[in-house]
Amino acid sequence: MQQETLTVPAPTTPALTKYSERPVLRYDKSEWKMPLLFMLSMSLVGLEFVPAILFIAAILIHQFRHDRYNFVIMLTIFFGGYGLASPSQFPVKPTDLCLTASVILAFIYRKNRTEKCLITCIVCYIAILIFLATYSLESLSVQMLTIRNYMSILYFIVPVACFAGRRFDIQVFMHKAVLFVLIMGIFYLVDFFILCGNVLVPQVFVWGGFYSTFYAPIIDPLSFSMSRKYPSGLCIFVLAIFPISRYYRLAWWQWLILVGAVVVGKTITLLGTFVIAYIFFMGKIKTLIKWSVIGLVGAVGIYFVDEWITPKGYRDNIESRLRIKSTVDQFTALAEIADDEDLARFASGRMAQILPKFELVKKEKRQWTGLGFLHLEHTKIPRYIIYNEYYNDWEQREELAGAVENVPATIYIFSGYGGLIAHAVFWLALWLIVRKKRESAYFTSVLLMCLLIGMNGMLNTDNFNGLGLIALSLAAVLLTNKDQKRKNYYAPKRI
């Protein structure tokens, strides 16, 4: 079988090496080939170029045979889509294929004690959700269509099984994960500054319900329209924050790609979470303090830059140019809130989604069990179809009292306080199981970032978008600690 050789720069003392002594992250030209082909093929699928599905299948088969590291990262991106493609574009939803494979492997794969504990926690968690679902007016068969999304964390068994009988090096994994993140960053910058549309990352939200296609792309080359590019694809950046804060230095052009891509996403939750995680996981108190001060000064500077480049009447349009000042001003305006209509405008209008659904939960006296795991397409219960008076768009005012762009709020609406407690205990249990293992901080970093970003309705811990990345980081930690010798742990190895 053909093998590739990958040399990965290795720090001498993990987590304690000074930033200036860490190796600069470098890639050979050959390392870009398959990841770039895969990402471009995903973009073609997103543009509804159907034959690209065959390209993806061929690449996945090739990488399964020759590079399992690339394979598990590609598989995760394929299942999640992450702005490149949408599940609705496939004959069968990729997440359903993922769940089926995960359940089968959970039964047939020979698991160690830790993996058995994790699966037991997942089974108990899902059992509690199903129990809470029995209190809903909605049928359990419909609710299971939603509950199945919560089961995506079981995906961790797929990467673990892919490396059965093979050597795994988390340094190689993180080295490759950052490469996929860089490619996604390049796609964002090209779409934003050069193509000025949705071509390389075509399946991100566009006002008006429009989507790019291969024959009718949303594109306006070099127009410098600078409209916001929604950050669905930037979610995979959570795989790279820990490696670049703990193990590697980036070249200036790599920093330009990552920072530039996050900035054009114009999402303060994403930007703030990445900055906080980067500083926190550096590992040294002095470094933490230094970068915290730098980050604070930088944040204040960006606020005033945003104020300077934004027209004075920006409040009429809700958002400032960079969405930094308008976000901060939302919090300062909390002290002036006089009624529910003022509160509804908080969090970029997300409270407008949340308030009437919370009111319905209270009216139904289901604070502890929620309304049930309602499904956007299949739930037809009249009393759960509400008229949302907080929306400005009259056509959108009639809606299902379902999911909102905030994970804790969604969990409360669906399963009440009982579901929120189960959710918190579940993640705490998973963290306690792996916290003493080598490189467990990688799992911790991805989990915490997903929980924080989930407050903004992205990287949700109730569907594959967030759970797939958490599961992948969990699998990386499990494989790192699975019957492997510590000697030469950071040495270059053959794939």
Side-chain angles (χ1 to χ4, degrees):
M1 182 181 296
Q2 184 180 353
Q3 289 186 324
E4 302 173 10
T5 302
L6 174 67
T7 302
V8 180
T12 55
T13 319
L16 297 177
T17 308
K18 292 181 179 179
Y19 183 78
S20 59
E21 297 174 356
R22 297 173 191 167
V24 176
L25 198 60
R26 293 187 176 91
Y27 296 96
D28 296 332
K29 291 182 180 179
S30 60
E31 293 181 71
W32 288 83
K33 181 180 177 181
M34 295 311 295
L36 185 57
L37 282 174
F38 172 79
M39 298 286 274
L40 287 172
S41 297
M42 286 290 292
S43 298
L44 287 173
V45 171
L47 291 170
E48 298 183 1
F49 184 71
V50 178
I53 296 177
L54 299 177
F55 301 158
I56 293 173
I59 293 170
L60 288 174
I61 292 170
H62 179 273
Q63 293 298 278
F64 181 79
R65 295 181 59 192
H66 299 287
D67 191 333
R68 296 289 173 91
Y69 295 97
N70 273 350
F71 174 76
V72 296
I73 298 170
M74 290 176 179
L75 200 63
T76 306
I77 294 173
F78 170 74
F79 287 142
Y82 300 106
L84 298 172
S86 170
S88 62
Q89 296 179 301
F90 296 89
V92 180
K93 283 188 176 182
T95 48
D96 288 339
L97 295 175
C98 169
L99 182 58
T100 301
S102 301
V103 171
I104 292 172
L105 286 172
F107 278 103
I108 68 174
Y109 178 72
R110 186 175 179 179
K111 301 171 285 295
N112 60 26
R113 183 178 177 182
T114 301
E115 292 158 0
K116 289 178 181 177
C117 287
L118 291 170
I119 291 177
T120 300
C121 285
I122 294 171
V123 170
C124 291
Y125 174 55
I126 299 302
I128 292 172
L129 297 184
I130 293 174
F131 171 74
L132 292 170
T134 61
Y135 287 90
S136 174
L137 298 178
E138 183 58 273
S139 67
L140 191 58
S141 59
V142 170
Q143 292 186 76
M144 286 303 299
L145 296 175
T146 301
I147 292 175
R148 80 188 197 280
N149 295 324
Y150 290 73
M151 299 170 65
S152 298
I153 185 61
L154 194 60
Y155 171 66
F156 83 86
I157 201 69
V158 175
V160 169
C162 285
F163 279 90
R166 288 173 174 262
R167 198 172 188 179
F168 180 86
D169 188 334
I170 198 170
Q171 290 288 311
V172 177
F173 172 81
M174 290 191 291
H175 181 87
K176 288 178 172 289
V178 176
L179 178 56
F180 282 88
V181 168
L182 287 171
I183 293 173
M184 181 65 83
I186 292 170
F187 280 13
Y188 260 77
L189 294 179
V190 171
D191 262 4
F192 187 80
F193 289 108
I194 300 175
L195 301 179
C196 301
N198 286 352
V199 179
L200 295 178
V201 191
Q203 286 294 318
V204 296
F205 176 79
V206 177
W207 286 102
F210 301 105
Y211 284 96
S212 269
T213 64
F214 186 74
Y215 297 104
I218 297 175
I219 184 173
D220 190 10
L222 300 176
S223 65
F224 301 103
S225 60
M226 302 301 178
S227 60
R228 179 190 180 195
K229 187 165 182 66
Y230 278 74
S232 309
L234 302 180
C235 293
I236 69 169
F237 279 38
V238 298
L239 296 175
I241 301 301
F242 180 80
I244 64 177
S245 69
R246 190 71 70 97
Y247 293 130
Y248 301 113
R249 283 188 297 141
L250 299 184
W252 67 268
W253 62 270
Q254 293 169 333
W255 274 119
L256 184 63
I257 290 171
L258 297 184
V259 174
V262 174
V263 169
V264 302
K266 296 183 181 179
T267 303
I268 188 64
T269 307
L270 210 66
L271 176 61
T273 298
F274 290 162
V275 170
I276 292 169
Y278 177 80
I279 295 172
F280 181 78
F281 285 100
M282 278 188 164
K284 273 194 171 184
I285 298 298
K286 288 183 179 179
T287 305
L288 184 65
I289 295 173
K290 182 183 78 172
W291 282 98
S292 295
V293 172
I294 293 174
L296 181 61
V297 172
V300 173
I302 293 174
Y303 175 88
F304 287 108
V305 168
D306 194 16
E307 182 181 36
W308 178 59
I309 65 176
T310 300
K312 292 183 179 180
Y314 85 92
R315 292 184 186 278
D316 296 332
N317 298 319
I318 300 177
E319 296 174 352
S320 55
R321 286 281 173 84
L322 299 178
R323 301 183 79 242
I324 303 295
K325 178 175 170 55
S326 55
T327 301
V328 174
D329 286 353
Q330 287 183 71
F331 287 92
T332 57
L334 281 175
E336 303 174 5
I337 287 178
D339 52 31
D340 285 349
E341 290 188 3
D342 290 338
L343 181 60
R345 288 192 288 269
F346 178 68
S348 300
R350 284 178 177 80
M351 288 304 296
Q353 302 174 13
I354 295 171
L355 286 176
K357 289 146 193 175
F358 276 19
E359 290 170 3
L360 181 59
V361 172
K362 184 178 180 181
K363 179 182 177 181
E364 294 277 317
K365 297 181 180 179
R366 295 179 180 272
Q367 292 94 329
W368 280 97
T369 59
L371 302 177
F373 296 87
L374 309 181
H375 192 276
L376 183 62
E377 297 175 4
H378 298 284
T379 295
K380 306 295 182 184
I381 300 173
R383 65 198 289 178
Y384 290 162
I385 306 298
I386 64 173
Y387 182 79
N388 195 332
E389 61 184 11
Y390 297 114
Y391 290 161
N392 293 325
D393 189 339
W394 289 79
E395 294 181 358
Q396 295 182 356
R397 287 192 169 187
E398 187 173 279
E399 64 171 350
L400 176 71
V404 297
E405 294 180 68
N406 180 284
V407 173
T410 297
I411 294 173
Y412 173 74
I413 293 166
F414 282 169
S415 54
Y417 293 127
L420 282 173
I421 293 171
H423 193 72
V425 171
F426 171 69
W427 289 117
L428 178 61
L430 260 58
W431 178 76
L432 289 173
I433 290 172
V434 301
R435 67 187 177 92
K436 292 186 177 180
K437 296 185 179 296
R438 296 198 311 274
E439 302 293 353
S440 63
Y442 185 52
F443 165 70
T444 303
S445 70
V446 175
L447 173 60
L448 290 178
M449 282 187 280
C450 287
L451 289 173
L452 287 173
I453 297 171
M455 300 290 289
N456 199 34
M458 296 178 293
L459 275 180
N460 295 2
T461 51
D462 58 1
N463 62 40
F464 190 87
N465 272 14
L467 293 177
L469 298 174
I470 296 171
L472 183 60
S473 67
L474 176 60
V477 173
L478 295 176
L479 288 166
T480 298
N481 291 270
K482 195 168 185 176
D483 301 324
Q484 296 183 43
K485 296 179 180 179
R486 183 121 191 211
K487 185 179 180 181
N488 294 327
Y489 180 63
Y490 292 99
K493 299 177 177 65
R494 296 179 77 78
I495 298 173

